[in-house]
Amino acid sequence: MQQQIIHYRSEAASCRQQVQQLEAELAKEKMRSAYLKEKLREAETTNVETYKKKIAALERQLLLCEIALEETRYNTSKETQTPAFERAAAVSALFHYSVVVPTHLDEEELTIIGDFIIRNHGTAPLHHLIVCLRLSPPKTAVLSGKIVLPNSGRAEQETLISNSAESWMFTHENWREKVRQSGEYWLAPLYDAPLEPSEERRFSQFEITVPPSSNARSLTVDGFVYCAELPKGVPAANHIAIQW
């Protein structure tokens, strides 16, 4: 009987040890399962954001193609009826600016500081805004502002991206060539949210500088606003025109 009791005690101890091992493995599997679920959620979130950015870029590219198509159609024929969705869409744009004239134009640069203000006057949201600012004559001046450049430093990009509601980006990869040839800056909001009725969006605190080496003696800045609902574009209510 004593030997059986010793045997049973040994079996019970062995069972308790197995139970402890199984409990440890179970806890480990729970931790692994929770870790894998978290990684899966992170992967799904990352993929969704990546696809959203790709879709927004493709939609902007499509809008640029629509703008070019509408300009071609307008040059060949005039439409007799405005589509209903265009009647519901209405946008206005305005330059608000000041000119800083140096004491000696031949030695210091002339600077224009301002905001380009866009407002939705319609009854429907406006999607995928695109702004064109045209400096004439080309190569006379340089425009800068809250624009995320492809080759800008990491600190500068992080600062602008953190203020994405006010930051902008170029719509063309070869934007330097387009600026050089036509003086046109094509920009889109970095944060591509719809512009709701009665709301406004700004390309704020831009600077246009005319170097003292410029041979030109006048500068005109025109602005245009495009969106998915108004692919033909709307010119700004005013423009910047200076002579020196």
Side-chain angles (χ1 to χ4, degrees):
M1 289 292 294
Q2 289 179 350
Q3 289 180 351
Q4 288 181 350
I5 291 172
I6 292 171
H7 175 71
Y8 291 148
R9 285 177 178 175
S10 175
E11 288 291 331
S14 177
C15 288
R16 284 196 296 270
Q17 186 176 3
Q18 289 180 2
V19 169
Q20 290 175 354
Q21 290 178 350
L22 291 173
E23 288 177 344
E25 290 180 2
L26 178 61
K28 196 179 296 182
E29 288 299 325
K30 286 181 178 180
M31 292 177 62
R32 183 181 291 111
S33 176
Y35 173 78
L36 292 175
K37 286 180 180 179
E38 181 63 26
K39 286 297 180 183
L40 179 60
R41 281 195 295 268
E42 290 178 2
E44 289 176 346
T45 303
T46 302
N47 290 336
V48 167
E49 291 300 321
T50 301
Y51 290 136
K52 283 183 178 179
K53 290 179 180 178
K54 289 182 178 179
I55 290 170
L58 289 172
E59 287 176 339
R60 279 193 292 270
Q61 190 64 34
L62 177 60
L63 177 55
L64 288 171
C65 293
E66 289 177 350
I67 292 170
L69 179 60
E70 289 294 340
E71 289 180 351
T72 302
R73 287 176 176 172
Y74 182 78
N75 291 333
T76 55
S77 63
K78 293 184 179 180
E79 295 182 351
T80 57
Q81 185 177 359
T82 303
F85 77 90
E86 290 196 6
R87 290 197 295 271
V91 66
S92 66
L94 181 73
F95 284 105
H96 181 76
Y97 66 96
S98 59
V99 181
V100 181
V101 181
T103 305
H104 303 287
L105 283 170
D106 295 334
E107 299 177 1
E108 302 174 77
E109 62 185 18
L110 184 149
T111 306
I112 302 170
I113 302 171
D115 296 344
F116 188 64
I117 306 167
I118 306 157
R119 187 172 181 82
N120 184 354
H121 289 286
T123 58
L126 303 178
H127 299 82
H128 308 302
L129 287 178
I130 291 179
V131 165
C132 175
L133 301 182
R134 185 174 63 208
L135 280 58
S136 304
K139 304 179 184 179
T140 300
V142 177
L143 180 144
S144 61
K146 297 178 181 179
I147 307 173
V148 178
L149 300 176
N151 57 350
S152 59
R154 182 175 179 182
E156 182 181 355
Q157 285 193 15
E158 289 178 351
T159 301
L160 289 170
I161 291 172
S162 64
N163 298 321
S164 58
E166 298 182 359
S167 299
W168 295 70
M169 63 181 179
F170 288 103
T171 60
H172 297 84
E173 293 183 2
N174 60 335
W175 62 271
R176 286 190 177 88
E177 187 65 24
K178 186 168 285 293
V179 168
R180 190 179 301 112
Q181 291 180 355
S182 62
E184 294 179 352
Y185 291 78
W186 289 81
L187 305 170
L190 183 64
Y191 180 59
D192 190 21
L195 184 61
E196 299 293 337
S198 301
E199 287 187 352
E200 67 177 34
R201 191 155 298 162
R202 297 185 176 217
F203 178 43
S204 58
Q205 299 177 9
F206 68 77
E207 289 190 11
I208 300 173
T209 55
V210 181
S213 59
S214 175
N215 295 323
R217 286 295 175 261
S218 66
L219 174 67
T220 302
V221 183
D222 295 298
F224 306 88
V225 179
Y226 302 84
C227 61
E229 291 76 14
L230 297 168
K232 293 180 184 178
V234 176
N238 64 343
H239 64 271
I240 302 173
I242 58 173
Q243 293 181 336
W244 59 89

